[in-house]
Each structure stands twice: as C-alpha cells, then as structure tokens.
Amino acid sequence: MPCSSDKFYSFKYVNGHPGNTLKGKLSVVAFGVLSEVESGYPLLISEMTLLTAFRTAAVAALGAKYLARSESSHLALVGTGAQAEFMAHALKSVLPIEQISYFDRDSQAMKKFASNMQGAGVQLNPHGGIYGAVRDADMVVTATAAKRRAILLRREELKDGAHLHAMGGDCPGKTELDPNLVKQCRRVVEFAEQTRLEGEMQNLPDLPVHAELWEIVSGQKPGRENDREITLLDAVGFGLEDYSVLRVVYGLADEFGVGQTCDLIPELDDPKNLFGLLVSPYRAATNPPIKYSVR
C-alpha cells in the first residue's frame, strides 16, 4: 500500500489470513516504511499491525462525525475480532454512544470483547444473531474476515437514519452487504477507483457514489442531509491512511526519543565505490553505516 508526497514516501506490507487465528496467529500482520523522497533514504521502519487498527478506527470515527446522526447513541458491531475494541473507543469519542450491541459467530471473540470493554462506560448487549444486534442501532459496523461474497445485512434489517460503516469488504471477491441495500444508501468512499475493485461497490461497479470522504470533510459536498436516509461509508483502507499514521509516529518518535537505531545504509568516502566495502574491511570499519531509526 504505497503513497507519496513531494517530501515523503511510504509503503505498508500487509497480509490478511483469516485462518491464522485457528493457529494462534493474528489474521492481519503488517509493517511499514517511511522514507525521504529527495534521497530515497529510509527514515523509519515501524510495526503496523497495531497502527493499522488505530488508523482504521480513526477513519470510522471521521466518517461517523460527518455521516451519522449527531444524537446516535446505539452502536452495533457485526464481528468482534481484533478490530472491535478500537472501533468502539474511536466511535465513542465522536458520538454519544451509550450502548453497544454485538454479535460474532465465535463466542470466545464476544467474551473477549466484553472483557476488554468493561469499564468503558457503555451498556454491552451480546446477541445470538446479526438481526438482533443491528435492528435498533443508530450506527452499524460490519467487520468480518471471511474472504467471500457474504450478505450480512439487508435494508429491512436497519432502522431509518442509521449510518453503516462497512469495513470487512476490503479485497476483490470479499463483500458483506446485500447489493440492494447499497443501492438505497447515500454512498461515500475513501478513494473511488480502489473501492470499485475492493469494497461493496465491486458488486455494483457502475453505481455512482455520492462523494469521497475528503470532499465531505472539506465542505465541497454535503454529508447526511436528513434524519431518515441510510448513509454508508464503504471503507476498504488505502495508502494515504498508512502514510498519515507513519508521519504521526515518525514525529512522535523524534519528539519523545522513542525507538532504536539500526545500521541500514553504508557511509562511504566515495559513494561510487560500494564494492570497496568488500575489498577493504578496514575502510568499511572506519566509516560505519549511517544509523536510521527503527521503531
């Protein structure tokens, strides 16, 4: 997932393997690199398994700020895996969430979520199925991992005025919503070209979207226009979000002196004589490699 400005370049190496949890491993693993465009030299290597969870939740909160009804107090989560608590806390920071209804086909994941959310100041409502969890919710987050074209929700299962954040459909062949529900929503995406390939829009490639999220945040297009419409943020995650969180981490690491250094790039008297590192050990030893921050 690469992204670049005129000053910095970033990429994230990321994998999604839903079956990993059966082996005691994370289903999403990632690391990222931030480098200087002018020289190409790396500035930061960072874990991004945790950072992906943070930035994904931050996008959900940003979308909810502009698309959910301001009085939304009931959140529903379909899927309580590794992302669930991040979503709950992020959304609680922008909406007056008082209760969270939730369902996961893995009962242990539901117990984990309940344990982690104790003391969060919200009423927790576990459910035995999706419909029970979402039917009275002001906002619904779908966050499932199965790589298939699933139909988790239909329009008749949602109350008028709900905001829907669909994040589980994030690669070709992986979706979560009934296409007829998508048709009836005010559709917002992060980056339209990518979403038509990876998100819920892949099932309806010719259906227009209302806006990209940045257009609403900047005031170029309206967000929610009335209290009865269903709004949808079809969120697949894209490189700018990873670039942004790496920039934040790089700044914080520099400010607070966090992280370690490692030797990555050799420093040479003659930058054209890279081979000299092999034939002249003494020269290499007296000109140690430049140290770069590894966080």
Side-chain angles (χ1 to χ4, degrees):
M1 298 183 72
C3 186
S4 183
S5 67
D6 59 356
K7 187 174 182 180
F8 296 106
Y9 167 82
S10 72
F11 74 83
K12 180 173 75 173
Y13 169 96
V14 61
N15 279 263
H17 294 264
N20 270 3
T21 55
L22 298 176
K23 307 170 187 176
K25 297 180 178 181
L26 290 161
S27 61
V28 174
V29 291
F31 71 87
V33 172
L34 184 72
S35 63
E36 181 183 60
V37 166
E38 182 179 6
S39 67
Y41 274 41
L43 301 172
L44 173 77
I45 300 175
S46 175
E47 79 77 36
M48 290 202 73
T49 304
L50 186 60
L51 290 184
T52 296
F54 278 121
R55 68 83 155 148
T56 300
V59 171
L62 184 64
K65 179 178 179 180
Y66 289 92
L67 295 171
R69 290 178 292 109
S70 61
E71 69 274 19
S72 297
S73 61
H74 186 181
L75 170 66
L77 300 177
V78 180
T80 55
Q83 185 67 42
E85 294 87 349
F86 295 88
M87 283 288 181
H89 284 288
L91 293 169
K92 190 172 179 293
S93 74
V94 296
L95 296 174
I97 302 297
E98 297 177 353
Q99 59 176 315
I100 300 177
S101 298
Y102 56 98
F103 167 75
D104 195 296
R105 64 182 183 178
D106 180 355
S107 61
Q108 292 303 312
M110 292 179 67
K111 291 177 181 178
K112 175 270 305 180
F113 176 76
S115 176
N116 285 339
M117 292 300 295
Q118 290 297 323
V122 294
Q123 176 182 324
L124 299 175
N125 308 320
H127 287 268
I130 293 175
Y131 176 63
V134 307
R135 61 184 174 183
D136 295 319
D138 300 308
M139 177 172 177
V140 178
V141 176
T142 56
T144 60
K147 290 189 175 180
R148 61 189 180 89
R149 294 186 187 273
I151 295 181
L152 304 180
L153 293 177
R154 293 177 171 85
R155 172 63 185 90
E156 58 269 23
E157 297 168 332
L158 299 174
K159 76 176 190 180
D160 290 347
H163 171 53
L164 181 56
H165 184 85
M167 62 156 284
D170 57 4
C171 68
K174 184 171 183 275
T175 55
E176 297 177 312
L177 305 181
D178 180 359
N180 287 323
L181 167 58
V182 176
K183 289 179 181 179
Q184 296 177 65
C185 294
R186 176 175 289 261
R187 296 170 296 277
V188 179
V189 301
E190 295 149 307
F191 178 45
E193 184 176 348
Q194 180 178 342
T195 306
R196 292 189 183 283
L197 296 175
E198 299 183 355
E200 300 301 321
M201 296 298 297
Q202 68 184 276
N203 291 328
L204 300 158
D206 297 324
L207 193 68
V209 299
H210 167 64
E212 293 183 336
L213 184 56
W214 71 269
E215 294 177 294
I216 294 176
V217 173
S218 65
Q220 296 190 31
K221 291 185 178 180
R224 170 179 292 275
E225 292 193 327
N226 63 69
D227 286 342
R228 294 185 60 82
E229 66 182 346
I230 304 292
T231 53
L232 165 66
L233 179 54
D234 187 5
V236 302
F238 74 133
L240 180 60
E241 295 159 6
D242 301 304
Y243 170 92
S244 299
V245 76
L246 284 170
R247 286 285 309 275
V248 169
V249 169
Y250 181 59
L252 292 173
D254 183 61
E255 180 180 354
F256 294 103
V258 176
Q260 301 173 352
T261 59
C262 72
D263 298 338
L264 288 179
I265 309 298
E267 186 176 71
L268 303 170
D269 290 337
D270 178 0
K272 294 184 178 181
N273 188 20
L274 180 62
F275 191 74
L277 288 173
L278 303 179
V279 299
S280 180
Y282 174 77
R283 177 182 293 272
T286 56
N287 292 277
I290 299 172
K291 291 184 181 295
Y292 286 91
S293 295
V294 179
R295 314 295 181 185

